[in-house]
Amino acid sequence: MKVAIDIGGTFTDIITVDDGGVIATNKVSTRPRDLSQCFLSAVEVAIASAGSASRAPQELLYSTTLALNSLLTHALPPIGLIVNRGFREILETARLPLPVRDENETRQPLAKRLVSLELVNEIGARLNADGSVRAAVDEQEVAALAEWYRDRSISIVVVSLMHSYLDPAQERQVAAVFARAAPRIEVVLSTEVLPELREYERTLAACLNACLMPAMKDHIESVMNEGELARSPLLVMKSSGGLASARRAMKKPLTTALSGPSAAVVGMVCLGARIGYEDIITLDIGGTSTDVALVQHGRYALTTYGEIAGFPFKTPMIDVLTIGAGGGSIASQGNDERWRVGPGSAGADPGPVCYGHGGDLVTLTDAQIVLGRLPGALLGGSLPLNKDAAAAALASFGQSRGLDAVRCARGILEIATHNMCGAIRRISVQRGHDPKDYVLFAMGGAGPLHAADLAVLLGMRTIVVPPQPGLAAALGLLVADVKDDFVQAFGLHEDALDVERAQAIFATLEDAALLFLADERVPEIRRRVQRHIDMRYAGMSNEITVEIAPGPITEALLRQAIDAFHDQFHRLSGHSYAGRETVELVNLRATAIGERARPDVLNRLPKADRKPVPRAHREVAYLDHPTFIDSPVYVRDSLGAGNTIRGPAVVEQYDSTIVIPPDFTAEIDEFGNMMLRPG
């Protein structure tokens, strides 16, 4: 038995499978203040629902919000930092206020301080820009610092030295001194977290990772030392779309910061390939956020540039754009008297007003229930919704503008819908892709509520709603592979290629990748390594990662990769600089992939033997129609393959609600996916 658990900001999703396929699915409320107990409760629910006598699943798969929540709340421990002499304020460079161009522009908040300046120390060691030694490590100086941190009860110290990505020997020497002088202090080396150029980003990544390590270690150990669960291997989803063992997640918790959104994209890519769609846009709307990603030719895009909780984030991750727009997003009025929806969220506790748990701030969910787009209870009736309380809160919120509850709810829904539409345009139109050429995959508890409205605004012609849209991330956990990335700086221009050096570096990286896969106990037949190069035009600040073909490294192979870079840059920017600008090969990468056996999570539905029969009717508001429309309400479990529903209609299921506007048609395919199409 395998158990996949996705702990989101509002709900925890659980899928239990065996060799025969899905046994059970469950969805319970998340308790963000105690994620360890939330995880253990989810395991208990999985075991009970599967009727298993064993208390230890064969495998536990986990996507967690622990790292993200720690960064968002700044619940981070004090750590030390050792840098080169003269660079004590390296992290403070991000705290310089950006100039404001005009009075209407909002000043971006400064990045939060990760390491108190009093805990940053300097040493005289130094490398030159070519990796040669300018000043050696003074071990007595380092030993004195180790005692200094020990006397101040600092348990983690980061070492980030200039140009150490070219040669990590000095950082390792500092760690060796600490191991002798203060063995209880854990030393985090920047070259082990992010062995790439750019001193600020490398230092920041190492500090972020160090700050997250204690919480992740405590969390993993508390859940894996619980009774029989100690016998169950635990794999944790990383931001890059791959799984890693729990012990690696404890060492590199920063790689799990976008665990849940990445898992959902992986799940939809697998589903799309199974039903014949390779060019898709994923729409994942939960209780706190909307996550969107673009998939081309069945492959999601990876990036090493992002931002989390105000911090630049330079580790491999699926290119997911997140905005604060979800079911629990709070409606508010800004200083400019404009209404906003999000990014603040009511979460699950206290939640929206309609939950009846003490929440008094109007949310998007309150608007949905007043507009008839949600049922009277969620999660199979276990979470009743108080429509009257929501209506009263909406009427109070809209009173200043003379709006009743319904008109206020419409306004909130319209604002949220256009925010979500803007997010999709940012990952498609602004990157040279027409949304009309893609299929919209709606997931999350609220994705199917908004998908049709977004498709109309974007001109998209097909929407796919999976059989269990609220469990997309848990599905992604089940079909993901074990992955890790290995990188080394290269830093040569295309007119001075060193093929022998490139071959040597790739050989070293591939050996490390294969060693990782062996350490993760991946069978040899399931091991493979992909190679990539980070490239940019000389003088530019950002790189594009290009995959290179397998085989011996030759100049022709590198030239082929450079041509691919020109093509990719042209697709992304609309500009071509081939033959006009010099290309710099910045980093060489090897990605270790351990292919896992994927359970068959798509069960074929029996052919429908009759037309669908609505369970009830209710008045529902649709964005493009000024009045409520009497709409049939169907139960999704009652639909069979081939069933067709014409809008207006609502389809309800345990983990989500699907709104089918007028002029839309929904059809159930052989696997239970609902295909929505306009016209």
Side-chain angles (χ1 to χ4, degrees), residues 34-105:
D34 190 351
L35 291 182
S36 297
Q37 187 56 49
C38 187
F39 178 87
L40 294 173
S41 298
V43 175
E44 290 296 321
V45 168
I47 292 172
S49 62
S52 173
S54 171
R55 313 303 295 173
Q58 176 193 1
E59 195 173 60
L60 284 169
L61 310 168
Y62 182 28
S63 60
T64 175
T65 57
L66 185 140
L68 180 59
N69 289 347
S70 297
L71 294 175
L72 290 173
T73 60
H74 208 64
L76 305 172
I79 64 170
L81 172 62
I82 294 176
V83 296
N84 298 100
R85 186 158 291 123
F87 287 84
R88 186 163 176 253
E89 291 82 11
I90 187 168
L91 290 180
E92 302 303 302
T93 58
R95 298 186 57 77
L96 295 175
L98 297 176
V100 177
R101 291 186 293 269
D102 60 71
E103 60 182 9
N104 295 320
E105 183 179 352

Side-chain angles (χ1 to χ4, degrees), residues 225-244:
N225 292 335
E226 186 71 21
E228 294 185 42
L229 287 185
R231 295 189 285 111
S232 300
L234 176 64
L235 296 176
V236 182
M237 173 61 73
K238 301 196 300 181
S239 304
S240 61
L243 296 167

Side-chain angles (χ1 to χ4, degrees), residues 77-84 90-91 114-115 119-123 145 149 154-161 171 174-175 178 185-193 199-213:
I79 64 170
L81 172 62
I82 294 176
V83 296
N84 298 100
I90 187 168
L91 290 180
L114 269 183
V115 186
L119 295 177
V120 182
N121 282 292
E122 302 172 324
I123 61 175
L145 288 181
Y149 282 116
I154 299 299
S155 60
I156 301 179
V157 173
V158 173
V159 181
S160 181
L161 303 180
E171 287 193 357
V174 172
F178 265 76
I185 294 179
E186 183 152 15
V187 178
V188 177
L189 305 183
S190 73
T191 49
E192 293 183 356
V193 177
E199 307 306 328
Y200 169 72
E201 286 83 356
R202 179 159 50 84
T203 304
L204 178 65
C207 291
L208 285 170
N209 195 75
C211 287
L212 294 171
M213 285 171 65

